[in-house]
Amino acid sequence: GVCGCCGALRPRYKRLVDNIFPEDPEDGLVKTNMEKLTFYALSAPEKLDRIGAYLSERLIRDVGRHRYGYVCIAMEALDQLLMACHCQSINLFVESFLKMVAKLLESEKPNLQILGTNSFVKFANIEEDTPSYHRSYDFFVSRFSEMCHSSHDDLEIKTKIRMSGIKGLQGVVRKTVNDELQANIWDPQHMDKIVPSLLFNLQHVEEAESRSPSPLQAPEKEKENPAELAERCLRELLGRAAFGNIKNAIKPVLIHLDNHSLWEPKVFAIRCFKIIMYSIQPQHSHLVIQQLLSHLDANSRSAATVRAGIVEVLSEAAVIAATGSVGPTVLEMFNTLLRQLRLSIDYALTGSYDGALSLGTKIIKEHEERMFQEAVIKTIGSFASTLPTYQRSEVILFIMSKVPLPSLHHAIETGRTGENRNRLTQIMLLKSLLQVSTGFQCSNMMSALPSNFLDRLLSTALMEDAEIRLFVLEILISFIDRHGNRHKFSTISTLSDISVLKLKVDKCSRQDTVFMKKHSQQLYRHIYLSCKEETNIQRHYEALYGLLALISIELANEEVVVDLIRLVLAVQDVAQVNEENLPVYNRCALYALGAAYLNLISQLTTVPAFCQHIHEVIETRKKEAPYMLPEDVFVERPRLSQNLDGVVIEFLFRQSKISEVLGGSGYNSDRLCLPYIPQLTDEDRLSKRKSIGETISLQVEVESRNSPEKEERVPAEEITYETLKKAIVDSVAVEEQERERRRQVVEKFQKAPFEEIAAHCGARASLLQSKLNQIFEITIRPPPSPSGTITAAYGQPQNHSIPVYEMKFPDLCVY
């Protein structure tokens, strides 16, 4: 008390602190006395904590007495002392400083809150020389987050308070994020306050943009925009996030979007995740994708609009992530999306999320589920388009493996509901596959269309559903088209000069030749059978024409061209003979398809006589049978003929004539003369496997020929060019004969009476048994018996086999 009355007896640090305050607070800080206080603090750093405590005492007293001018002077003095002193004793001074800042933030006066925030931001930018083991920022996180949600009546004051709150959170992040000794700012208790506060201000960007400042005030106003400041703070926060902290930073974003129903408009949600994906380190992108996938699974029973919003956000995030590192989440993402697609199909069929309607069950709107399904398919396509070729191939195989097919390995659900579910699943997965295959560029068709994938894809091409067949054709077109020519064949026509199409044609590579040698007959067969489908519409024929044209441009050599011409002529025969009882439109469409393709291939081969024959037939049709040309068939109102049974030969493309004109130009005329017969037994795998009886008889015959007893020296035959040519021609003829034999066998089993088939199979079975008995007699010899031999009925000695346990051994063998 005595020291308080006598100024001379007071401690020096108190006198120096008192001297910085003027008599009139409007005069501001006394700078000369402030310099003395600063010099004293630097000279005696052990006094810093007492200086801070005394300043804190004065500030609290001034706040209580509403002497706000002196409060501002005290905070200015504290700021200057903080900037000047970096000694080890600053930690105790900081405690007093934070206590004063907290006192200001607790005030109801906006100006004091802003003043305290500005001082804290200055402190946050100071790099301390010594760590602090016991400092806590929990109060500041809570208070700054609360300021970010200010709802003051005055718009300008509200904006300033929110700005101060965002700056305060930014200061807390900067002060603690890189200091391992500080409280972990990435803990959920802190992230659940910081992230929603920033998103709340981002969400109100429209409110900030609704003000239209004058051009001179525009730069200043832009700086005072809480939304932009919140975005910068969020970017800084995410940019500092380490691998283990991404989850804690993303989860509050998802919860905020759920609580405020921000998935349905999806504009704000997409903006948030674009900020996130461009702010985090690229190698952490897959963690965000995983969080979104998990959230999509967690919301699998939410409204379709909510799930569609999540999928749209996932699409945008995945495209950005693909430019960095997606990691092991590629197939996980596609697996989740395909699972959601199946669930959506089930919801649409059952009408509820529980599989059965009951009281209180939420009714599902089918059109919303359809929108969700389209969003999933779009997401699959957009993400796959950013993947490298090898990953895209894996995704294609993965999706195809999910398509339900009636095979041994994939069970198909029965019943009407099961059939609808199978059909919708097949359509949705094929749509997804079409999205993935669009724009797929692969120089090697063997890797683009591997055997296991092509077999499954083509097996769906023969389904009864017309929509599924169309998807398969479009998928094949996407894979084969590597030079962007598909849109040039979107319309079927007989152009007199195809140079106007400006086709991009490259020479067929060796890999493509190998692919066609292996799979050409399989492709031809499915094209041929697809042409015979009664439910085909114009889009099917356009797709078939595009597929034929693209095979001719991308994968054709002379042998492929010959086979394609034979195939189209066989399609013409289908329309002419009409064994399938096709409608008039289908027959006219097949005639028109053949005319359009042969017109194209004739100009691609550039054989004048071939072009002339095709041109003559087309001109004849134009005059007398326009219903056999695409210009009259593939239009909105087709002009058809009611009688196609009396088609004269002048209207048809003749195989003999084509074989003659192409044979003179070096093409295989012998092969051209042979009619095309599809391998109808490929699906049942009968063409590649002989019967067991034939296999055994063949083996016995080979063994007998190679036995030493019948081996004879055959003089070596001289190999010449004529010998090789003859062998090749003979092999082609044998192959065609074999196909004809197989066709007859299949036809016999389809049309013969049951008794005849049973008798035939019985004879084959007895033949098989006799062959097996012969083999067993040859290969299995009974061991000689120790008891000697016995005499057979015909007087010949025969070995008699006795079991070991019945044999009598000599006494010498017993020990």
Side-chain angles (χ1 to χ4, degrees), residues 443-469:
S443 58
N444 188 355
M445 290 301 296
M446 292 293 289
S447 58
L449 293 172
S451 298
N452 55 346
F453 171 77
L454 190 61
D455 292 341
R456 289 181 57 80
L457 181 64
L458 292 180
S459 64
T460 59
L462 301 180
M463 290 185 174
E464 296 180 0
D465 194 286
E467 189 175 2
I468 292 177
R469 295 200 309 272

PDB file of all heavy atoms in Angstrom, residues 443-469:
ATOM      1  N   SER A 443      -3.432 -49.903 -79.157  1.00  0.00           N
ATOM      2  CA  SER A 443      -2.871 -50.290 -80.449  1.00  0.00           C
ATOM      3  C   SER A 443      -2.961 -51.789 -80.690  1.00  0.00           C
ATOM      4  O   SER A 443      -2.992 -52.236 -81.832  1.00  0.00           O
ATOM      5  CB  SER A 443      -1.411 -49.831 -80.531  1.00  0.00           C
ATOM      6  OG  SER A 443      -0.661 -50.385 -79.473  1.00  0.00           O
ATOM      7  N   ASN A 444      -3.005 -52.564 -79.611  1.00  0.00           N
ATOM      8  CA  ASN A 444      -3.024 -54.018 -79.744  1.00  0.00           C
ATOM      9  C   ASN A 444      -4.417 -54.537 -79.403  1.00  0.00           C
ATOM     10  O   ASN A 444      -4.852 -54.472 -78.252  1.00  0.00           O
ATOM     11  CB  ASN A 444      -1.974 -54.635 -78.801  1.00  0.00           C
ATOM     12  CG  ASN A 444      -1.808 -56.130 -79.035  1.00  0.00           C
ATOM     13  OD1 ASN A 444      -2.528 -56.735 -79.832  1.00  0.00           O
ATOM     14  ND2 ASN A 444      -0.860 -56.720 -78.336  1.00  0.00           N
ATOM     15  N   MET A 445      -5.116 -55.064 -80.389  1.00  0.00           N
ATOM     16  CA  MET A 445      -6.466 -55.557 -80.163  1.00  0.00           C
ATOM     17  C   MET A 445      -6.480 -56.814 -79.299  1.00  0.00           C
ATOM     18  O   MET A 445      -7.476 -57.109 -78.643  1.00  0.00           O
ATOM     19  CB  MET A 445      -7.150 -55.865 -81.503  1.00  0.00           C
ATOM     20  CG  MET A 445      -7.486 -54.634 -82.323  1.00  0.00           C
ATOM     21  SD  MET A 445      -8.575 -53.482 -81.462  1.00  0.00           S
ATOM     22  CE  MET A 445     -10.039 -54.471 -81.290  1.00  0.00           C
ATOM     23  N   MET A 446      -5.387 -57.553 -79.262  1.00  0.00           N
ATOM     24  CA  MET A 446      -5.327 -58.743 -78.421  1.00  0.00           C
ATOM     25  C   MET A 446      -5.426 -58.370 -76.951  1.00  0.00           C
ATOM     26  O   MET A 446      -6.026 -59.092 -76.152  1.00  0.00           O
ATOM     27  CB  MET A 446      -4.027 -59.504 -78.679  1.00  0.00           C
ATOM     28  CG  MET A 446      -3.936 -60.130 -80.053  1.00  0.00           C
ATOM     29  SD  MET A 446      -5.114 -61.466 -80.293  1.00  0.00           S
ATOM     30  CE  MET A 446      -4.416 -62.707 -79.231  1.00  0.00           C
ATOM     31  N   SER A 447      -4.838 -57.248 -76.574  1.00  0.00           N
ATOM     32  CA  SER A 447      -4.930 -56.807 -75.180  1.00  0.00           C
ATOM     33  C   SER A 447      -6.216 -56.015 -74.933  1.00  0.00           C
ATOM     34  O   SER A 447      -6.733 -56.014 -73.819  1.00  0.00           O
ATOM     35  CB  SER A 447      -3.712 -55.943 -74.818  1.00  0.00           C
ATOM     36  OG  SER A 447      -3.623 -54.819 -75.678  1.00  0.00           O
ATOM     37  N   ALA A 448      -6.737 -55.337 -75.961  1.00  0.00           N
ATOM     38  CA  ALA A 448      -7.987 -54.593 -75.795  1.00  0.00           C
ATOM     39  C   ALA A 448      -9.182 -55.526 -75.678  1.00  0.00           C
ATOM     40  O   ALA A 448     -10.108 -55.271 -74.901  1.00  0.00           O
ATOM     41  CB  ALA A 448      -8.182 -53.632 -76.968  1.00  0.00           C
ATOM     42  N   LEU A 449      -9.185 -56.621 -76.444  1.00  0.00           N
ATOM     43  CA  LEU A 449     -10.282 -57.583 -76.432  1.00  0.00           C
ATOM     44  C   LEU A 449      -9.738 -58.981 -76.167  1.00  0.00           C
ATOM     45  O   LEU A 449      -9.644 -59.810 -77.092  1.00  0.00           O
ATOM     46  CB  LEU A 449     -11.036 -57.559 -77.761  1.00  0.00           C
ATOM     47  CG  LEU A 449     -11.823 -56.290 -78.088  1.00  0.00           C
ATOM     48  CD1 LEU A 449     -12.343 -56.341 -79.516  1.00  0.00           C
ATOM     49  CD2 LEU A 449     -12.972 -56.101 -77.121  1.00  0.00           C
ATOM     50  N   PRO A 450      -9.324 -59.277 -74.941  1.00  0.00           N
ATOM     51  CA  PRO A 450      -8.824 -60.629 -74.641  1.00  0.00           C
ATOM     52  C   PRO A 450      -9.924 -61.661 -74.784  1.00  0.00           C
ATOM     53  O   PRO A 450     -11.117 -61.340 -74.781  1.00  0.00           O
ATOM     54  CB  PRO A 450      -8.348 -60.514 -73.184  1.00  0.00           C
ATOM     55  CG  PRO A 450      -9.067 -59.345 -72.625  1.00  0.00           C
ATOM     56  CD  PRO A 450      -9.291 -58.401 -73.756  1.00  0.00           C
ATOM     57  N   SER A 451      -9.517 -62.920 -74.886  1.00  0.00           N
ATOM     58  CA  SER A 451     -10.472 -63.987 -75.204  1.00  0.00           C
ATOM     59  C   SER A 451     -11.577 -64.109 -74.165  1.00  0.00           C
ATOM     60  O   SER A 451     -12.759 -64.235 -74.512  1.00  0.00           O
ATOM     61  CB  SER A 451      -9.730 -65.320 -75.330  1.00  0.00           C
ATOM     62  OG  SER A 451      -8.796 -65.268 -76.382  1.00  0.00           O
ATOM     63  N   ASN A 452     -11.210 -64.080 -72.871  1.00  0.00           N
ATOM     64  CA  ASN A 452     -12.237 -64.258 -71.845  1.00  0.00           C
ATOM     65  C   ASN A 452     -13.258 -63.130 -71.861  1.00  0.00           C
ATOM     66  O   ASN A 452     -14.454 -63.340 -71.640  1.00  0.00           O
ATOM     67  CB  ASN A 452     -11.587 -64.359 -70.467  1.00  0.00           C
ATOM     68  CG  ASN A 452     -10.701 -63.175 -70.154  1.00  0.00           C
ATOM     69  OD1 ASN A 452     -10.356 -62.388 -71.036  1.00  0.00           O
ATOM     70  ND2 ASN A 452     -10.312 -63.028 -68.902  1.00  0.00           N
ATOM     71  N   PHE A 453     -12.808 -61.907 -72.164  1.00  0.00           N
ATOM     72  CA  PHE A 453     -13.737 -60.778 -72.253  1.00  0.00           C
ATOM     73  C   PHE A 453     -14.604 -60.876 -73.503  1.00  0.00           C
ATOM     74  O   PHE A 453     -15.825 -60.676 -73.452  1.00  0.00           O
ATOM     75  CB  PHE A 453     -12.952 -59.473 -72.253  1.00  0.00           C
ATOM     76  CG  PHE A 453     -13.786 -58.256 -72.556  1.00  0.00           C
ATOM     77  CD1 PHE A 453     -14.609 -57.701 -71.590  1.00  0.00           C
ATOM     78  CD2 PHE A 453     -13.760 -57.673 -73.813  1.00  0.00           C
ATOM     79  CE1 PHE A 453     -15.384 -56.590 -71.865  1.00  0.00           C
ATOM     80  CE2 PHE A 453     -14.525 -56.563 -74.099  1.00  0.00           C
ATOM     81  CZ  PHE A 453     -15.338 -56.018 -73.117  1.00  0.00           C
ATOM     82  N   LEU A 454     -13.980 -61.187 -74.629  1.00  0.00           N
ATOM     83  CA  LEU A 454     -14.724 -61.232 -75.896  1.00  0.00           C
ATOM     84  C   LEU A 454     -15.774 -62.339 -75.878  1.00  0.00           C
ATOM     85  O   LEU A 454     -16.884 -62.155 -76.384  1.00  0.00           O
ATOM     86  CB  LEU A 454     -13.748 -61.428 -77.052  1.00  0.00           C
ATOM     87  CG  LEU A 454     -14.320 -61.265 -78.458  1.00  0.00           C
ATOM     88  CD1 LEU A 454     -14.867 -59.865 -78.658  1.00  0.00           C
ATOM     89  CD2 LEU A 454     -13.259 -61.573 -79.516  1.00  0.00           C
ATOM     90  N   ASP A 455     -15.431 -63.475 -75.282  1.00  0.00           N
ATOM     91  CA  ASP A 455     -16.401 -64.574 -75.217  1.00  0.00           C
ATOM     92  C   ASP A 455     -17.640 -64.169 -74.430  1.00  0.00           C
ATOM     93  O   ASP A 455     -18.776 -64.427 -74.850  1.00  0.00           O
ATOM     94  CB  ASP A 455     -15.754 -65.804 -74.578  1.00  0.00           C
ATOM     95  CG  ASP A 455     -14.674 -66.409 -75.460  1.00  0.00           C
ATOM     96  OD1 ASP A 455     -14.681 -66.106 -76.667  1.00  0.00           O
ATOM     97  OD2 ASP A 455     -13.833 -67.171 -74.946  1.00  0.00           O
ATOM     98  N   ARG A 456     -17.429 -63.523 -73.283  1.00  0.00           N
ATOM     99  CA  ARG A 456     -18.575 -63.112 -72.456  1.00  0.00           C
ATOM    100  C   ARG A 456     -19.375 -62.013 -73.151  1.00  0.00           C
ATOM    101  O   ARG A 456     -20.602 -62.003 -73.099  1.00  0.00           O
ATOM    102  CB  ARG A 456     -18.081 -62.618 -71.095  1.00  0.00           C
ATOM    103  CG  ARG A 456     -17.550 -63.706 -70.193  1.00  0.00           C
ATOM    104  CD  ARG A 456     -17.114 -63.136 -68.852  1.00  0.00           C
ATOM    105  NE  ARG A 456     -18.198 -62.438 -68.185  1.00  0.00           N
ATOM    106  CZ  ARG A 456     -19.177 -63.006 -67.506  1.00  0.00           C
ATOM    107  NH1 ARG A 456     -19.203 -64.328 -67.392  1.00  0.00           N
ATOM    108  NH2 ARG A 456     -20.119 -62.293 -66.929  1.00  0.00           N
ATOM    109  N   LEU A 457     -18.674 -61.084 -73.801  1.00  0.00           N
ATOM    110  CA  LEU A 457     -19.376 -59.999 -74.475  1.00  0.00           C
ATOM    111  C   LEU A 457     -20.221 -60.508 -75.628  1.00  0.00           C
ATOM    112  O   LEU A 457     -21.389 -60.132 -75.789  1.00  0.00           O
ATOM    113  CB  LEU A 457     -18.362 -58.962 -74.961  1.00  0.00           C
ATOM    114  CG  LEU A 457     -18.946 -57.732 -75.664  1.00  0.00           C
ATOM    115  CD1 LEU A 457     -19.804 -56.929 -74.698  1.00  0.00           C
ATOM    116  CD2 LEU A 457     -17.838 -56.864 -76.235  1.00  0.00           C
ATOM    117  N   LEU A 458     -19.655 -61.391 -76.440  1.00  0.00           N
ATOM    118  CA  LEU A 458     -20.391 -61.885 -77.601  1.00  0.00           C
ATOM    119  C   LEU A 458     -21.528 -62.820 -77.194  1.00  0.00           C
ATOM    120  O   LEU A 458     -22.505 -62.957 -77.942  1.00  0.00           O
ATOM    121  CB  LEU A 458     -19.429 -62.599 -78.557  1.00  0.00           C
ATOM    122  CG  LEU A 458     -18.408 -61.688 -79.260  1.00  0.00           C
ATOM    123  CD1 LEU A 458     -17.512 -62.501 -80.163  1.00  0.00           C
ATOM    124  CD2 LEU A 458     -19.109 -60.599 -80.056  1.00  0.00           C
ATOM    125  N   SER A 459     -21.396 -63.475 -76.042  1.00  0.00           N
ATOM    126  CA  SER A 459     -22.503 -64.327 -75.604  1.00  0.00           C
ATOM    127  C   SER A 459     -23.746 -63.490 -75.298  1.00  0.00           C
ATOM    128  O   SER A 459     -24.875 -63.967 -75.449  1.00  0.00           O
ATOM    129  CB  SER A 459     -22.090 -65.123 -74.365  1.00  0.00           C
ATOM    130  OG  SER A 459     -21.831 -64.262 -73.280  1.00  0.00           O
ATOM    131  N   THR A 460     -23.547 -62.225 -74.873  1.00  0.00           N
ATOM    132  CA  THR A 460     -24.703 -61.341 -74.654  1.00  0.00           C
ATOM    133  C   THR A 460     -25.266 -60.808 -75.966  1.00  0.00           C
ATOM    134  O   THR A 460     -26.386 -60.295 -75.992  1.00  0.00           O
ATOM    135  CB  THR A 460     -24.310 -60.156 -73.759  1.00  0.00           C
ATOM    136  OG1 THR A 460     -23.246 -59.414 -74.382  1.00  0.00           O
ATOM    137  CG2 THR A 460     -23.845 -60.626 -72.398  1.00  0.00           C
ATOM    138  N   ALA A 461     -24.491 -60.895 -77.051  1.00  0.00           N
ATOM    139  CA  ALA A 461     -24.960 -60.385 -78.341  1.00  0.00           C
ATOM    140  C   ALA A 461     -26.077 -61.237 -78.927  1.00  0.00           C
ATOM    141  O   ALA A 461     -26.761 -60.805 -79.863  1.00  0.00           O
ATOM    142  CB  ALA A 461     -23.801 -60.310 -79.333  1.00  0.00           C
ATOM    143  N   LEU A 462     -26.269 -62.440 -78.399  1.00  0.00           N
ATOM    144  CA  LEU A 462     -27.294 -63.337 -78.942  1.00  0.00           C
ATOM    145  C   LEU A 462     -28.521 -63.417 -78.043  1.00  0.00           C
ATOM    146  O   LEU A 462     -29.352 -64.302 -78.205  1.00  0.00           O
ATOM    147  CB  LEU A 462     -26.702 -64.745 -79.125  1.00  0.00           C
ATOM    148  CG  LEU A 462     -25.490 -64.813 -80.053  1.00  0.00           C
ATOM    149  CD1 LEU A 462     -24.992 -66.244 -80.167  1.00  0.00           C
ATOM    150  CD2 LEU A 462     -25.828 -64.262 -81.427  1.00  0.00           C
ATOM    151  N   MET A 463     -28.635 -62.517 -77.070  1.00  0.00           N
ATOM    152  CA  MET A 463     -29.801 -62.527 -76.198  1.00  0.00           C
ATOM    153  C   MET A 463     -31.028 -62.009 -76.941  1.00  0.00           C
ATOM    154  O   MET A 463     -30.920 -61.300 -77.942  1.00  0.00           O
ATOM    155  CB  MET A 463     -29.540 -61.666 -74.957  1.00  0.00           C
ATOM    156  CG  MET A 463     -28.519 -62.277 -74.015  1.00  0.00           C
ATOM    157  SD  MET A 463     -28.347 -61.322 -72.494  1.00  0.00           S
ATOM    158  CE  MET A 463     -27.255 -62.389 -71.559  1.00  0.00           C
ATOM    159  N   GLU A 464     -32.174 -62.358 -76.410  1.00  0.00           N
ATOM    160  CA  GLU A 464     -33.424 -61.955 -77.063  1.00  0.00           C
ATOM    161  C   GLU A 464     -33.684 -60.467 -76.920  1.00  0.00           C
ATOM    162  O   GLU A 464     -34.357 -59.872 -77.756  1.00  0.00           O
ATOM    163  CB  GLU A 464     -34.593 -62.745 -76.466  1.00  0.00           C
ATOM    164  CG  GLU A 464     -34.510 -64.249 -76.730  1.00  0.00           C
ATOM    165  CD  GLU A 464     -35.686 -64.988 -76.129  1.00  0.00           C
ATOM    166  OE1 GLU A 464     -36.547 -64.312 -75.524  1.00  0.00           O
ATOM    167  OE2 GLU A 464     -35.742 -66.215 -76.277  1.00  0.00           O
ATOM    168  N   ASP A 465     -33.177 -59.852 -75.866  1.00  0.00           N
ATOM    169  CA  ASP A 465     -33.449 -58.443 -75.618  1.00  0.00           C
ATOM    170  C   ASP A 465     -32.733 -57.582 -76.660  1.00  0.00           C
ATOM    171  O   ASP A 465     -31.509 -57.602 -76.779  1.00  0.00           O
ATOM    172  CB  ASP A 465     -32.984 -58.063 -74.207  1.00  0.00           C
ATOM    173  CG  ASP A 465     -33.538 -56.720 -73.781  1.00  0.00           C
ATOM    174  OD1 ASP A 465     -33.037 -55.705 -74.309  1.00  0.00           O
ATOM    175  OD2 ASP A 465     -34.445 -56.674 -72.936  1.00  0.00           O
ATOM    176  N   ALA A 466     -33.496 -56.794 -77.401  1.00  0.00           N
ATOM    177  CA  ALA A 466     -32.927 -55.974 -78.475  1.00  0.00           C
ATOM    178  C   ALA A 466     -32.025 -54.875 -77.937  1.00  0.00           C
ATOM    179  O   ALA A 466     -31.007 -54.539 -78.548  1.00  0.00           O
ATOM    180  CB  ALA A 466     -34.051 -55.367 -79.321  1.00  0.00           C
ATOM    181  N   GLU A 467     -32.388 -54.318 -76.792  1.00  0.00           N
ATOM    182  CA  GLU A 467     -31.586 -53.233 -76.215  1.00  0.00           C
ATOM    183  C   GLU A 467     -30.204 -53.730 -75.807  1.00  0.00           C
ATOM    184  O   GLU A 467     -29.194 -53.052 -76.015  1.00  0.00           O
ATOM    185  CB  GLU A 467     -32.317 -52.633 -75.018  1.00  0.00           C
ATOM    186  CG  GLU A 467     -31.674 -51.363 -74.473  1.00  0.00           C
ATOM    187  CD  GLU A 467     -32.478 -50.730 -73.359  1.00  0.00           C
ATOM    188  OE1 GLU A 467     -33.519 -51.305 -72.972  1.00  0.00           O
ATOM    189  OE2 GLU A 467     -32.070 -49.659 -72.862  1.00  0.00           O
ATOM    190  N   ILE A 468     -30.137 -54.918 -75.241  1.00  0.00           N
ATOM    191  CA  ILE A 468     -28.848 -55.494 -74.837  1.00  0.00           C
ATOM    192  C   ILE A 468     -27.986 -55.754 -76.056  1.00  0.00           C
ATOM    193  O   ILE A 468     -26.777 -55.459 -76.061  1.00  0.00           O
ATOM    194  CB  ILE A 468     -29.083 -56.792 -74.032  1.00  0.00           C
ATOM    195  CG1 ILE A 468     -29.734 -56.460 -72.689  1.00  0.00           C
ATOM    196  CG2 ILE A 468     -27.782 -57.549 -73.817  1.00  0.00           C
ATOM    197  CD1 ILE A 468     -30.071 -57.666 -71.849  1.00  0.00           C
ATOM    198  N   ARG A 469     -28.576 -56.293 -77.116  1.00  0.00           N
ATOM    199  CA  ARG A 469     -27.793 -56.558 -78.337  1.00  0.00           C
ATOM    200  C   ARG A 469     -27.230 -55.261 -78.909  1.00  0.00           C
ATOM    201  O   ARG A 469     -26.088 -55.226 -79.394  1.00  0.00           O
ATOM    202  CB  ARG A 469     -28.678 -57.249 -79.379  1.00  0.00           C
ATOM    203  CG  ARG A 469     -29.164 -58.625 -78.972  1.00  0.00           C
ATOM    204  CD  ARG A 469     -29.588 -59.427 -80.199  1.00  0.00           C
ATOM    205  NE  ARG A 469     -30.523 -58.688 -81.040  1.00  0.00           N
ATOM    206  CZ  ARG A 469     -31.833 -58.698 -80.899  1.00  0.00           C
ATOM    207  NH1 ARG A 469     -32.387 -59.427 -79.945  1.00  0.00           N
ATOM    208  NH2 ARG A 469     -32.615 -58.007 -81.709  1.00  0.00           N
TER     209      ARG A 469
END
